[in-house]
Amino acid sequence: MISRAPAPPLARAARAALCLLPAALLLTAGCATREQSSDGFLGLITPYRIDIVQGTAVTKEQAALVKLGMTRSQVRDLLGSPMLTDMFHNDRWDYVFTIRRPGTAAQRRSIVAHFEGDSLKQIDLPEALPSENEFVAALVPLRGAPTTRSLELSEEQRKGLPAPKKVDAAAAAAPLGAVRSYPPLERPQ
């Protein structure tokens, strides 16, 4: 029978800490706030989040073209297909638009078109309907200011360019590659 010497106290403490570490991590995993959990795991790993776009985006310019008395097909041509049509409320079309993108504020707008027969009787528009430019600007992530790039070279950059090679006029006029002569397409008469 072989007997082992007892482990030193420091080694026993290290083994106990290694056994309790996973349990401690599991217990403290739920202590993060919503803001911390949305940033990723310990602020190091950020998961990919997709853009969620639902419905039909209606802008101020589109809504200005809609007039009372228009037919259903005319309204559909201007605003697009409604997101919600209810068989119990056949005279009501709901245009709902929502978008959630990482780095931008969530957007939600609702437009309701009421019909009487085939003609538009009333349209309920939100007060803060964006223009096309405002809508596109709202889609740009808020992570940082956009950087503008210059499309022209400065005088210093132009001076740093190599001088253009001089080309002989006769050589420039000469055709490149093989010169072929083809027979005429029509028979001579």
Side-chain angles (χ1 to χ4, degrees):
M1 181 164 166
I2 302 173
S3 65
R4 293 186 179 190
L10 185 59
R12 281 184 282 177
R15 268 193 235 134
L18 285 175
C19 291
L20 293 176
L21 182 63
L25 287 175
L26 286 174
L27 289 174
T28 59
C31 296
T33 63
R34 188 179 193 302
E35 290 79 24
Q36 289 173 340
S37 64
S38 67
D39 290 338
F41 179 70
L42 299 176
L44 301 174
I45 301 171
T46 305
Y48 175 75
R49 290 192 169 84
I50 61 170
D51 301 344
I52 301 172
V53 181
Q54 294 178 322
T56 306
V58 178
T59 62
K60 193 182 298 185
E61 291 85 0
Q62 288 175 307
L65 296 174
V66 176
K67 305 293 181 211
L68 298 180
M70 288 183 146
T71 64
R72 290 176 188 255
S73 62
Q74 289 172 328
V75 173
R76 182 179 285 123
D77 288 343
L78 290 174
L79 300 181
S81 297
M83 185 172 183
L84 300 171
T85 55
D86 188 0
M87 63 187 273
F88 296 110
H89 305 307
N90 198 21
D91 292 336
R92 176 184 169 137
W93 283 0
D94 291 290
Y95 291 89
V96 180
F97 174 75
T98 59
I99 183 168
R100 288 189 299 176
R101 294 185 72 194
T104 62
Q107 300 179 33
R108 185 180 193 287
R109 286 182 292 280
S110 178
I111 297 171
V112 180
H114 300 278
F115 292 92
E116 191 171 279
D118 193 42
S119 65
L120 182 65
K121 181 177 96 173
Q122 175 186 351
I123 186 162
D124 301 331
L125 297 169
E127 293 178 17
L129 202 60
S131 68
E132 290 180 13
N133 292 335
E134 293 169 345
F135 176 71
V136 171
L139 294 179
V140 176
L142 300 174
R143 293 186 180 140
T147 58
T148 57
R149 296 182 183 175
S150 175
L151 298 178
E152 292 186 26
L153 295 176
S154 66
E155 282 300 319
E156 292 177 11
Q157 292 171 332
R158 287 183 185 159
K159 290 177 183 176
L161 292 174
K165 295 180 182 178
K166 295 191 179 191
V167 179
D168 185 20
L176 299 175
V179 178
R180 298 181 182 152
S181 63
Y182 294 98
L185 295 176
E186 298 176 356
R187 249 183 6 201
Q189 293 183 5

